[in-house]
Amino acid sequence: MTQPQDPFSYPPIDPVNFDLIIVGTALSESVIAAAASAVGKTILHLDPNSFYGSHFASLSLHDLTSYLSSPHSLPSAAATTTDSDDVVVIDFVQQPLCSDAEIATYDESAFLSENSRKFSIDLGGPKALFCADKTIDLLMKSGAAQYLEFKGIDESFVYEANAGLANVPDSRGSIFRDKKLSLKEKNQLMRFFKLVQQHLDDTQEEKIPEEDLEIAFVSFLEKMKLPPKIKSILLYAIAMLDYDQDNNEVCIELLKTKDGIDSLALYSSSVGRFPNAPGALLYPIYGEGELPQAFCRRAAVKGCIYVLRMSVVSLLMDKVTGSYKGVRLASGQDLYSHQLILDPSFMIPSPLSSSPRDFPSEKLQMLGQRDIKGMVARGICITRSSIKPDVSNCSVVYPPRSLYPEQLTSIKALQIGSNLAVCPAGTFILYFSTMCNDADEGKKLLKAAMNALLTLPVSGNSESIPSVQSDSEDIKPIVLWSAFYIQKLIMCKLEFISSTPTPDGNLNYDDLLDATRKLFNQMYPDEEFFPKSTSPEDPTDEDDNGLTLDS
Amino acid sequence: MSGSEDEGGEEYLFKIVIIGDSAVGKSNLLSRYARNEFNMHSKATIGVEFQTQCLEIDSKEVKAQIWDTAGQERFRAVTSAYYRGAVGALIVYDISRRTTFDSVGRWLDELKTHCDTTVAMMLVGNKCDLENIRAVSVDEGKSLAEAEGLFFMETSALDSTNVKTAFEMVIREIYTNVSRKVLNSETYKAELSVNRVSLVNNGASTSKQNQPYFSCCSR
């Protein structure tokens, strides 16, 4: 982050009335800014940070360290309210989404420091897009795609206990080339895929029976007599499930067969969709932080006003009706809008210590209640070598119980190399994430996953000798730097003030963008989400789109 | 968005960015150069993306893709993505407003922070038609440009003074550098360029799968 400048040096924001004020530039906020701008709403879009993306940002190494080490948190006191002519002023508190951060530099600290700006590290990683994701269609439909470029993730692996990395068989050719699958397993897999293909093919009459579609996918796979190894690949590496489907007591989300088939369909239609991307996954060049920026640029082109380094300090409510009226900026300026969207880190603590007589304060109580739906534990490592020789970018899934018997959740990992402009040449960034109930559990899971593939020095001073992994000739990459942190999963909605979803544990963005679209539809039920702009009033768009050239 | 393209057809595509404070005339410079238009009522930039302009240099076709800020500079909210891959930059100030000249250093810092591929940068003192209310002398502009290693030119988008010359000087300088292949981190950028996937103009791939998972044919 550049040295923070006095926000009061900004000129006052003009006009002061908007259809919508948005605080925070995470992916959901940015998509809504673009969608609302596209239908003519006047919008003010703010971010307290000096960078775009909020908790979906991609940051330099130094900025990431600063962000995780000292998250901005205003003192968490009871909310104070002050009286004014016609509004009640209620102060916000800001509670960071990230907590329990542990950061360690093990080696080459001078190199890392000198090259800090060559890193572009995702706060919400691991994140990628399936080539057939709805997110891809949204990028095209909204016009944000013209600001982005991607590369394919070369390989997808699944971690197997005592065996290391195995390829995820994602095509007929890869199944037969696979050296770890037995011939019997290959035939079983091909038969299963053929069954799924026939089910999805509208011209075929042979379908999976309706009663099978309603049972648990894991039960369906057992019914198909698929061996545990293949079941595991289908459930966790292709359908990307988080929770152990074989553990009925603990499994939070038991997937139905019909949803499992949909996941297979998404995966299969992703493989080879784009030239230059033979696998199922894409990753944006320069990191996931490019996605919110693309939507913000789109909104700005349509007239949305952007302000960075500007926080909101208070909510302005109508004294009589208790309705939302506007916000007070850190600069002291009051601005008004019909609707407000808040970054999920902003809230009003309850109870209110004092409120004017007869003020309907029950509406405010709801603002203080956040629906925390769980936690994501995230880990990041920087290494000098790849977890797989000759592979720069790859994804890894650790199925439940692949690391230790009590491991109840999947762990997702993603390695990105310098050919995606996220780190200096000769280095790699690895992202890990898993769902968890508390920080200790989450970190234990992540460290087990890291230790399976990487060498984590015990302390920064120890002379670490590379250890050879059993059953493999590969030498484990040595970690130069690592970070662990916990992100809360939050979602809530009020009638005139909305809060956007936080980064979830999914590898892709579709669930998040589904929630974003629903939010947009709730706010603007009569407006279309990114209508096709064939209007002659937008000749610039058509001209420029036509002028865009691929490299 | 790529910095440069050097392929069989000997075509070049250069990304150039225009930066500077609000209302210094960035959009009018661009519209004057690209479409020979000037809009007297200067609202914050809305609806402008970029303009592509073709030039012939040494019998080769050179395309310049010149980007405008879309108004995000007004409250210091230009995205880092805006700078990605730019090989040229025009840093614009208004000669009648001293504060816009004083901001040039900050714009240079921002450019250097987010972009390491820029090979041609020009400091532009716009609105030179406002001689009677000049607040920044030509010498001051020249001195700052020299100190920072920039080209320098005063322009007027209103009366067209030096606009074409300014842009073409930047484009030619980029071309000269590219044809000598002295781009920064050349090997790194080459690695960056390989196997890109763009979603724009990929309509053919949208509706059908090139290599469906369940294809009967083996890859």
Side-chain angles (χ1 to χ4, degrees):
Chain A
M1 284 175 257
T2 54
Q3 61 275 358
Q5 228 185 54
D6 186 5
F8 310 137
S9 69
Y10 286 165
I13 292 166
D14 172 40
V16 301
N17 291 290
F18 297 89
D19 291 319
L20 172 63
I21 293 175
I22 303 175
V23 183
T25 56
L27 185 57
S28 289
E29 291 98 295
S30 304
V31 168
I32 288 182
S37 295
V39 296
K41 305 300 178 186
T42 59
I43 302 168
L44 174 67
H45 200 172
L46 313 161
D47 201 303
N49 298 301
S50 62
F51 52 83
Y52 280 89
S54 297
H55 27 282
F56 289 79
S58 300
L59 301 174
S60 72
L61 186 56
H62 172 76
D63 289 347
L64 177 76
T65 302
S66 298
Y67 186 88
L68 292 178
S69 299
S70 53
H72 326 284
S73 71
L74 306 174
S76 183
T80 57
T81 61
T82 54
D83 219 328
S84 179
D85 320 350
D86 54 350
V87 299
V88 171
V89 181
I90 297 150
D91 291 342
F92 286 116
V93 299
Q94 198 178 355
Q95 292 191 358
L97 295 185
C98 296
S99 64
D100 299 277
E102 278 180 32
I103 298 171
T105 303
Y106 305 104
D107 204 358
E108 299 196 50
S109 58
F111 167 83
L112 294 173
S113 184
E114 286 162 18
N115 290 276
S116 166
R117 278 182 6 196
K118 291 196 174 136
F119 287 94
S120 190
I121 303 178
D122 298 342
L123 267 174
K127 274 291 192 278
L129 297 87
F130 284 101
C131 295
D133 265 343
K134 286 179 282 186
T135 306
I136 299 286
D137 298 326
L138 178 65
L139 288 168
M140 295 184 191
K141 191 182 183 190
S142 65
Q146 63 181 305
Y147 310 115
L148 297 160
E149 282 187 301
F150 300 85
K151 288 197 181 185
I153 301 295
D154 307 314
E155 308 268 357
S156 292
F157 298 110
V158 57
Y159 182 81
E160 294 174 347
N162 306 319
L165 297 177
N167 282 95
V168 174
D170 56 16
S171 67
R172 195 182 185 112
S174 70
I175 290 172
F176 280 105
R177 281 195 304 272
D178 197 285
K179 296 174 181 174
K180 292 191 176 181
L181 292 173
S182 68
L183 184 59
K184 181 182 178 185
E185 285 167 339
K186 290 181 182 183
N187 285 328
Q188 287 169 318
L189 200 48
M190 286 307 303
R191 232 179 288 124
F192 178 73
F193 284 152
K194 187 176 181 185
L195 172 71
V196 172
Q197 178 196 3
Q198 286 174 345
H199 176 79
L200 294 169
D201 189 346
D202 291 335
T203 65
Q204 297 283 336
E205 289 181 9
E206 188 175 338
K207 299 294 181 184
I208 296 171
E210 190 65 32
E211 60 266 24
D212 280 345
L213 291 176
E214 289 300 321
I215 65 177
F217 193 40
V218 63
S219 304
F220 178 70
L221 298 180
E222 282 163 4
K223 188 172 172 180
M224 294 290 111
K225 295 187 168 53
L226 293 171
K229 176 176 171 179
I230 290 186
K231 251 175 53 186
S232 180
I233 290 172
L234 292 170
L235 291 169
Y236 306 111
I238 294 183
M240 295 280 178
L241 297 178
D242 285 312
Y243 297 97
D244 189 351
Q245 304 287 298
D246 286 314
N247 194 321
N248 286 324
E249 297 174 12
V250 186
C251 187
I252 296 171
E253 297 169 17
L254 201 59
L255 188 77
K256 285 186 176 180
T257 297
K258 62 182 179 183
D259 297 322
I261 299 294
D262 287 343
S263 299
L264 296 185
L266 171 67
Y267 201 102
S268 70
S269 54
S270 291
V271 175
R273 181 181 186 192
F274 294 109
N276 290 341
L281 295 168
L282 291 176
Y283 185 83
I285 295 178
Y286 297 103
E288 74 154 346
E290 302 295 288
L291 293 172
Q293 292 188 55
F295 285 102
C296 289
R297 166 83 181 187
R298 199 74 198 140
V301 164
K302 296 291 186 179
C304 180
I305 294 177
Y306 276 92
V307 189
L308 293 185
R309 303 171 194 82
M310 181 64 75
S311 187
V312 288
V313 293
S314 308
L315 192 63
L316 309 176
M317 311 286 283
D318 186 275
K319 188 192 281 189
V320 175
T321 64
S323 301
Y324 164 77
K325 287 185 76 70
V327 294
R328 177 164 295 167
L329 304 186
S331 62
Q333 189 178 8
D334 289 350
L335 300 169
Y336 305 95
S337 66
H338 296 118
Q339 304 210 48
L340 173 69
I341 290 181
L342 284 174
D343 181 286
S345 64
F346 282 89
M347 47 195 296
I348 289 180
S350 56
L352 294 174
S353 61
S354 67
S355 58
R357 194 179 311 123
D358 296 334
F359 179 71
S361 58
E362 64 275 2
K363 285 187 176 179
L364 290 180
Q365 302 296 342
M366 298 175 63
L367 258 185
Q369 296 158 15
R370 288 287 197 249
D371 191 9
I372 298 185
K373 297 190 170 177
M375 293 176 178
V376 186
R378 300 196 193 275
I380 306 172
C381 295
I382 297 172
T383 66
R384 272 289 190 186
S385 54
S386 172
I387 57 174
K388 196 77 169 178
D390 300 321
V391 175
S392 280
N393 312 308
C394 57
S395 70
V396 182
V397 172
Y398 303 77
R401 286 174 286 112
S402 61
L403 293 164
Y404 53 90
E406 308 83 44
Q407 180 204 345
L408 297 176
T409 55
S410 288
I411 297 159
K412 300 184 182 75
L414 190 68
Q415 176 184 274
I416 304 293
S418 58
N419 66 340
L420 273 152
V422 298
C423 53
T427 65
F428 299 85
I429 303 181
L430 288 98
Y431 301 98
F432 297 81
S433 80
T434 187
M435 305 299 292
C436 63
N437 293 313
D438 61 70
D440 289 339
E441 175 197 4
K443 289 181 181 178
K444 178 184 176 185
L445 287 157
L446 296 180
K447 288 177 181 177
M450 291 173 181
N451 281 319
L453 293 177
L454 309 170
T455 301
L456 270 156
V458 175
S459 87
N461 293 325
S462 72
E463 193 73 31
S464 56
I465 301 169
S467 62
V468 177
Q469 183 175 301
S470 62
D471 299 335
S472 171
E473 294 175 2
D474 298 336
I475 296 179
K476 287 182 181 180
I478 296 169
V479 177
L480 307 183
W481 178 97
S482 71
F484 297 87
Y485 52 103
I486 306 294
Q487 276 180 344
K488 300 182 190 73
L489 291 173
I490 296 174
M491 178 81 178
C492 83
K493 164 74 177 78
L494 291 179
E495 51 200 72
F496 47 79
I497 301 171
S498 311
S499 188
T500 46
T502 57
D504 55 23
N506 292 325
L507 184 69
N508 64 348
Y509 298 93
D510 275 12
D511 285 354
L512 182 90
L513 290 175
D514 277 346
T516 302
R517 181 177 192 145
K518 282 177 187 160
L519 179 53
F520 178 85
N521 289 335
Q522 284 169 345
M523 295 172 60
Y524 301 113
D526 298 325
E527 301 284 7
E528 193 182 338
F529 193 59
F530 291 111
K532 301 216 168 181
S533 55
T534 49
S535 149
E537 295 169 18
D538 267 335
T540 301
D541 278 1
E542 289 176 8
D543 285 347
D544 287 337
N545 284 334
L547 288 173
T548 303
L549 299 173
D550 293 342
S551 62
Chain B
M1 291 176 266
S2 69
S4 66
E5 179 183 337
D6 186 357
E7 284 173 2
E10 294 215 302
E11 266 188 30
Y12 296 87
L13 175 66
F14 301 145
K15 176 177 174 178
I16 297 170
V17 293
I18 310 180
I19 52 179
D21 280 0
S22 244
V24 294
K26 301 187 293 297
S27 298
N28 266 322
L29 279 170
L30 180 52
S31 62
R32 172 68 75 193
Y33 175 58
R35 299 191 304 265
N36 201 22
E37 290 172 9
F38 182 92
N39 188 340
M40 189 63 74
H41 309 289
S42 168
K43 289 188 176 181
T45 300
I46 291 177
V48 179
E49 292 276 23
F50 53 84
Q51 300 284 339
T52 302
Q53 197 73 351
C54 292
L55 215 60
E56 189 175 305
I57 306 178
D58 293 351
S59 306
K60 297 183 178 66
E61 181 173 307
V62 174
K63 286 180 181 168
Q65 192 182 76
I66 307 169
W67 286 73
D68 205 343
T69 55
Q72 286 174 294
E73 80 286 7
R74 190 174 161 205
F75 299 104
R76 297 189 55 207
V78 176
T79 61
S80 55
Y82 178 73
Y83 296 99
R84 303 282 191 214
V87 286
L90 283 78
I91 304 99
V92 185
Y93 66 93
D94 174 349
I95 68 157
S96 69
R97 286 191 290 137
R98 178 93 213 176
T99 54
T100 67
F101 180 73
D102 295 340
S103 295
V104 167
R106 184 165 53 74
W107 285 112
L108 278 172
D109 287 345
E110 190 163 296
L111 176 63
K112 289 168 184 171
T113 296
H114 297 298
C115 185
D116 63 357
T117 52
T118 314
V119 296
M121 292 180 286
M122 175 178 280
L123 181 61
V124 176
N126 193 35
K127 308 195 186 185
C128 67
D129 53 283
L130 302 177
E131 184 63 41
N132 53 335
I133 54 171
R134 175 186 285 274
V136 182
S137 71
V138 175
D139 284 345
E140 286 178 288
K142 269 185 192 173
S143 295
L144 179 58
E146 280 176 12
E148 298 285 353
L150 316 174
F151 291 104
F152 175 71
M153 192 158 287
E154 286 200 343
T155 61
S156 168
L158 187 149
D159 67 23
S160 301
T161 302
N162 283 343
V163 172
K164 188 165 187 277
T165 308
F167 279 98
E168 291 191 356
M169 184 177 294
V170 170
I171 297 167
R172 287 178 189 276
E173 177 66 12
I174 296 167
Y175 171 81
T176 300
N177 280 275
V178 165
S179 58
R180 291 198 310 243
K181 298 200 187 294
V182 295
L183 277 174
N184 291 334
S185 311
E186 186 173 299
T187 306
Y188 180 72
K189 294 306 166 187
E191 180 187 42
L192 181 60
S193 298
V194 173
N195 285 332
R196 288 184 174 226
V197 175
S198 175
L199 306 182
V200 182
N201 297 331
N202 251 303
S205 301
T206 308
S207 51
K208 63 186 179 183
Q209 304 164 24
N210 292 339
Q211 291 169 304
Y213 187 29
F214 302 132
S215 168
C216 294
C217 303
S218 173
R219 277 197 287 138

